[in-house]
Amino acid sequence: MTIASIISAIGNNSSIYPLLVRDCGIEVPTKIALTYKQNQEDKDVAKLAARERFLDEYATSAVWLGGIPLIGFIADKIIKKRGFNPDINTKLFTEENLQGLKYNIEKFKDKAPEAVKDLIKLTNKDTQKYYKKLLAGKVLASTIIPIAFMGFILPKMIFASSAKRIEKLKQQRAAQNQSVPEPVMRPNFASVKKGIWEDFSLNNPAQVSFTGLSLAQLANISTQDKMMITDGGYTIGRVLTARKKNEALDVGFRLSGMMFLNFVAPKWIEKALNKISGLDLDPIMLADKKFTDKVKNGGILLPASDKPEVLLKFVDENPDSMFVKLANQFKKVKTLDNGVRDPRAYVDFDVLGKFRNSIADFIEKSPKNNNFNKYLIKSKILRSTNILANVAISSFLLAYALPKATFAFRKLVTGSDLEPGLAPDVQKS
């Protein structure tokens, strides 16, 4: 993997890669260290708190890395066994002038006959409803199962493990003091209402409410939205399973801030940096000699405008053009192996139009003389710097600023620097 590819991956705020870089590589190790330092007034609390943070953060990352993709893979296999292609976008069921199920069947029946066969299976309204339910089930499985594990099961496992260690610690301290040990003070799970699992049962999906989301919207939900739903449910689960009221407040403050800094702030920062630099092309494109040579020599053919009808006509009539190949590479459109636009995919004209305008803007600003190479080098450095700056700023906010804000909130609420879920039980030993 090239340096440009790495920078491109961590700069894509619609994917999971920036989260992995920040979480696993920067945020988690820093938070573990800060957690230990914040609780070092009591060494036993500090060790337990750091241990809990280590288990919690890396187990959660493992679910993001392996668990959620695995659920999606299994769901796709089930959908295929039902005779459908899970790549068909249900937005095509709503007929439009430029793209839709019947429109695409007629338009691509000769250009992409195999793909059209997948569409023909869904021309019946009842079949469409069944397919939407299958896709919605995939989304629910990809969100509810991780929420249940990360928000409810994992914290209980960690708390139970800590309870055993607290009990052992009390026995050691009692032996040192040569006194009769006090009754074991286990973490208090009273905040978890009896029957919560019945209310949040995976065996009763009818009880799970996604207010305001139709079946079609749920079926087409983006990866980023699924991540936000999962994190939101995970946050609720952690608040409900907190051992004490103050711990619930502490966790709620921290995880709410984490959601904002993971999903909202990076996009704001990216937009601001791109506006300052006037450049938002992907680093891979700037490192692509074929692309830059064509820009230099004025050989890039682009759609005349970003109007939907102009964009779609260009893509369909110029499948071998560099613009279409780049649009496919960066997932602005989806094409088949023969270069034909995949009739099963839905084209987001806003996304494709923005991509077209970014290239046009770069071409317009590029000097058409010997200064082009200097301009290109400057653009590469500037774009890479913007991405790395975004990661650095986001990481600082997540790994340092948010924990410090959480500690200040904790001090304000509890009057103590120590972990509210552990300190009372440990200090009673």
Side-chain angles (χ1 to χ4, degrees), residues 164-318:
K164 291 180 180 179
R165 290 175 178 269
I166 292 172
E167 182 176 354
K168 185 177 180 180
L169 178 63
K170 289 180 177 182
Q171 292 172 351
Q172 291 173 346
R173 289 185 177 182
Q176 290 172 357
N177 295 330
Q178 295 181 346
S179 60
V180 180
E182 294 179 10
V184 174
M185 300 294 292
R186 296 181 181 275
N188 179 16
F189 294 101
S191 60
V192 184
K193 295 181 181 179
K194 186 178 180 181
I196 190 171
W197 288 107
E198 286 78 4
D199 294 337
F200 197 82
S201 174
L202 295 177
N203 295 321
N204 192 2
Q207 293 181 355
V208 180
S209 174
F210 284 80
T211 305
L213 279 179
S214 68
L215 197 60
Q217 289 172 318
L218 187 59
N220 283 316
I221 200 167
S222 68
T223 300
Q224 189 83 344
D225 287 339
K226 281 192 286 187
M227 291 165 67
M228 290 181 69
I229 289 173
T230 303
D231 260 17
Y234 156 62
T235 298
I236 293 171
R238 289 307 175 89
V239 171
L240 290 175
T241 55
R243 289 164 286 195
K244 293 174 176 61
K245 179 181 178 181
N246 284 339
E247 184 179 44
L249 294 172
D250 194 82
V251 169
F253 180 89
R254 174 171 59 86
L255 294 184
S256 297
M258 186 186 72
M259 286 187 65
F260 174 77
L261 293 176
N262 267 327
F263 297 109
V264 180
K267 291 186 177 181
W268 286 2
I269 297 169
E270 179 185 34
K271 187 176 180 179
L273 291 173
N274 289 346
K275 189 173 183 179
I276 293 171
S277 65
L279 180 69
D280 63 354
L281 288 185
D282 194 285
I284 293 177
M285 291 175 65
L286 296 174
D288 186 341
K289 195 170 187 307
K290 290 182 179 179
F291 169 72
T292 55
D293 282 349
K294 280 188 174 292
V295 172
K296 182 179 180 179
N297 299 318
I300 293 279
L301 183 63
L302 294 176
S305 73
D306 59 3
K307 292 181 179 179
E309 60 273 16
V310 175
L311 291 170
L312 212 56
K313 183 178 179 181
F314 183 93
V315 170
D316 291 340
E317 293 182 357
N318 301 275

Side-chain angles (χ1 to χ4, degrees), residues 108-124:
F108 293 97
K109 62 183 179 182
D110 297 323
K111 296 179 180 179
E114 291 302 314
V116 166
K117 286 180 182 178
D118 291 334
L119 296 180
I120 292 174
K121 292 178 182 179
L122 292 168
T123 51
N124 181 276

Side-chain angles (χ1 to χ4, degrees), residues 47-105:
K47 289 177 182 178
L48 283 172
R51 177 180 176 274
E52 285 193 349
R53 183 56 50 84
F54 175 87
L55 293 173
D56 184 10
E57 297 289 349
Y58 280 114
T60 301
S61 295
V63 173
W64 280 114
L65 274 169
I68 294 177
L70 178 62
I71 293 170
F73 175 79
I74 294 172
D76 282 345
K77 287 289 185 183
I78 293 172
I79 293 171
K80 288 177 182 178
K81 282 190 176 182
R82 297 292 187 274
F84 301 108
N85 188 320
D87 294 330
I88 297 174
N89 194 305
T90 59
K91 289 181 181 179
L92 295 174
F93 298 165
T94 303
E95 293 298 323
E96 297 182 7
N97 293 330
L98 298 175
Q99 52 182 335
L101 197 65
K102 293 180 181 179
Y103 180 90
N104 282 4
I105 289 173

